[in-house]
Amino acid sequence: MGRRKIKMEMVQDMNTRQVTFSKRRTGLFKKASELATLCNAELGIVVFSPGGKPYSYGKPNLDAVTERFMRECDDSDSGDDDEEEGTGKKRPKMKRINERLDCLKREIEAEKKRGDEAQAKLESAGDERFKKKPIEKLTIDELREYLDKLQTVHGRIQGQANKMQASSCLVLLSENKASVE
């Protein structure tokens, strides 16, 4: 039968996909073994099957390679790490980013709560004379006064909306930065 070129696209048939995965996984692990032997390289590979089952290969073993990788990453980020007060332990950059993200989420929740409170005040506030009288029966002076109050409330709402938008932008920037790193 011989070899033939196949298109690089997902195999649609589930059985064929599983067979392809098994053969290619074996080939990948064989090539990794050859690389480790020829170049005295330490390497680790983790692959998840289409069914979600994990397969791994490591030379000398996956745990040793993972530990070394994590150590190297911590060392390369050491200029950006902070020491926790009194412990002398370093916190990775990702942990700081996640803490900042949590802080921003709490700020957003506080802003939402303030917005709800402002909405409740808006609904309950208002001059009683404006509530009892239909708008058509208000005098020109009362209408001007009512317009001034509405503009004041509108300004407050706009300010709260701007604060909430700024907070959400910070969260999005933080999430983007976290996903890039």
Side-chain angles (χ1 to χ4, degrees):
M1 183 167 169
R3 292 186 180 196
R4 59 189 167 141
K5 185 151 177 100
I6 63 167
K7 287 187 209 173
M8 281 293 127
E9 60 184 28
M10 188 175 79
V11 178
Q12 297 300 320
D13 180 49
M14 195 60 182
N15 292 331
T16 307
R17 186 183 311 156
Q18 185 61 44
V19 170
T20 302
F21 173 80
S22 295
K23 288 181 179 179
R24 289 189 176 249
R25 176 183 45 119
T26 304
L28 177 66
F29 288 173
K30 184 177 177 185
K31 288 288 185 184
S33 175
E34 291 171 1
L35 177 65
T37 302
L38 291 171
C39 302
N40 194 30
E42 292 181 24
L43 57 92
I45 301 173
V46 177
V47 181
F48 289 89
S49 72
K53 185 176 178 186
Y55 294 90
S56 63
Y57 175 82
K59 184 83 175 199
N61 64 50
L62 188 62
D63 290 334
V65 173
T66 303
E67 285 296 318
R68 181 171 177 196
F69 178 78
M70 295 305 287
R71 237 185 358 263
E72 295 289 326
C73 285
D74 285 346
D75 290 345
S76 68
D77 287 341
S78 65
D80 295 333
D81 288 347
D82 292 333
E83 283 193 20
E84 292 181 11
E85 292 180 23
T87 65
K89 294 181 181 176
K90 296 197 176 216
R91 295 186 307 170
K93 185 187 293 184
M94 197 61 164
K95 184 175 179 182
R96 286 193 326 246
I97 291 172
N98 284 333
E99 288 172 353
R100 179 68 179 139
L101 180 61
D102 290 340
C103 179
L104 289 171
K105 285 180 180 178
R106 285 191 299 272
E107 287 178 18
I108 287 174
E109 288 302 317
E111 287 296 325
K112 285 181 182 177
K113 185 177 177 184
R114 277 195 288 253
D116 291 342
E117 290 170 356
Q119 182 64 32
K121 284 181 184 176
L122 176 64
E123 290 171 0
S124 67
D127 204 327
E128 286 299 317
R129 62 190 158 147
F130 297 133
K131 286 183 182 178
K132 292 180 179 177
K133 246 189 205 178
I135 199 158
E136 297 85 20
K137 298 211 175 181
L138 294 175
T139 66
I140 201 76
D141 291 333
E142 289 174 327
L143 285 172
R144 286 186 181 133
E145 185 181 347
Y146 192 52
L147 177 63
D148 288 341
K149 288 187 180 206
L150 286 176
Q151 288 173 338
T152 302
V153 169
H154 180 266
R156 287 183 195 152
I157 292 171
Q158 190 66 41
Q160 289 291 345
N162 290 341
K163 284 181 186 177
M164 290 176 73
Q165 186 177 14
S167 294
S168 66
C169 287
L170 287 173
V171 168
L172 289 174
L173 286 172
S174 178
E175 287 173 351
N176 287 341
K177 187 174 183 181
S179 67
V180 168
E181 294 177 351

